């Protein structure tokens, strides 16, 4: 009886957590399928299927271009973070030199600065490089937060790899580049997928830098485009359009996590048990 009660309590807790996490997205979907005054009527079941909000989001503003902007920036950030992070992880994880731990802690400490603290400095850097209102400014600024995390995680995984593999490859004449690309990289795929997916989500959802470093609608990313959606008058806030846009940009992230679910779990749990 006690075991049955514990099982029931566990599943009730799981159900409560799932409800808490999924209900906002569920209600956003319901709201996005309403039009007119129906948006302000509280209902927990779909009463109509009106896709006009989705049509207006793409016809009244360059939202498709905003999605492509976010996609291009996020992919570039992930590629650069993984490429630079892999090389740094090899140096920090497999090469012994004085000050290695201090350097690694410094890299991690950079990611702990709040965005507002580095915003003015980044703005001057972006303006000095002539990248204002350019997607490259977003790629450059996002690396401040994605690269330290990527280096830290990949370094941890790199240290856990068996030294015998590296020694055997060196005896066969492998160069450091061959060691990284052909020996360590296949073993690090779970960690690469995990850090890459997290970096993609950070770049996809970032708002403050995107709002500061872009000016025109054609250069804005998705979060900024959603925040600046306006109605027919200055006092109107089109909740239906906002919810439709939010659902549109959330679904790709959900699909991404579902596609890479196994590798994501493997990357998060690898190294937890040794021996």
């Amino acid at each position: 009886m006690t075991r049955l009660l514990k099982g029931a309590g566990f599943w009730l807790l799981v159900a409560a957590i799932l409800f808490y996490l999924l209900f906002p997205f569920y209600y956003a979907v319901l709201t996005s399928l309403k039009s007119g005054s129906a948006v302000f009527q509280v209902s927990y079941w779909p009463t109509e299927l009106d896709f006009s909000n989705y049509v207006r989001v793409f016809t009244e503003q360059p939202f498709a271009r905003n999605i492509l902007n976010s996609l291009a920036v996020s992919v570039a950030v992930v590629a650069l973070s993984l490429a630079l992070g892999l090389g740094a992880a090899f140096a920090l994880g497999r090469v012994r030199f004085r000050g290695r731990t201090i350097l690694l802690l410094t890299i991690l400490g950079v990611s702990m600065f709040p965005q507002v603290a580095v915003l003015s400095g980044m703005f001057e850097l972006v303006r000095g490089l002539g990248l204002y209102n350019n997607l490259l400014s977003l790629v450059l600024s996002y690396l401040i937060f994605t690269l330290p995390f990527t280096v830290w995680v990949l370094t941890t995984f790199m240290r856990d790899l068996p030294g015998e593999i590296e020694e055997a490859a060196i005896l066969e004449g492998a160069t450091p580049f061959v060691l990284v690309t052909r020996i360590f990289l296949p073993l690090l795929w779970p960690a690469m997928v995990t850090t890459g997916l997290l970096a993609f989500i950070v770049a996809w959802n970032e708002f403050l830098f995107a709002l500061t470093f872009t000016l025109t609608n054609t250069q804005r990313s998705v979060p900024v485009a959603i925040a600046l959606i306006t109605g027919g008058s200055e006092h109107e806030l089109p909740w239906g359009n906002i919810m439709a846009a939010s659902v549109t940009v959330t679904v790709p992230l959900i699909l991404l996590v579902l596609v890479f679910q196994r590798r994501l779990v493997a990357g998060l749990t690898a190294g937890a048990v040794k021996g």
Side-chain angles (χ1 to χ4, degrees), residues 139-208:
V139 175
L140 178 65
S141 58
Y142 292 174
L143 285 175
I144 294 178
F145 302 102
T146 60
L147 189 55
F149 171 78
T150 303
V151 171
W152 181 269
V153 174
L154 292 182
T155 300
T156 303
F157 278 85
M158 188 77 74
R159 285 178 175 175
D160 291 337
L161 295 179
E164 293 79 3
I165 298 178
E166 180 180 3
E167 294 172 0
I170 292 175
L171 289 176
E172 293 294 331
T175 62
F177 180 78
V178 173
L179 276 175
V180 173
T181 56
R182 297 191 178 183
I183 306 300
F184 291 137
L185 184 59
L187 301 175
L188 288 172
W189 270 118
M192 298 282 284
V193 172
T194 302
T195 53
L197 183 56
L198 294 176
F200 184 92
I201 293 174
V202 169
W204 184 268
N205 292 330
E206 202 283 327
F207 176 78
L208 183 59

Side-chain angles (χ1 to χ4, degrees), residues 95-103:
V95 180
R96 295 182 179 180
F97 58 91
R98 183 177 299 178
R100 181 176 61 172
T101 302
I102 296 176
L103 179 59

Side-chain angles (χ1 to χ4, degrees), residues 84-96:
L84 297 175
L86 183 62
F90 174 74
L92 294 170
R94 311 300 294 193
V95 180
R96 295 182 179 180

Side-chain angles (χ1 to χ4, degrees), residues 151 213 239:
V151 171
F213 301 149
W239 287 111

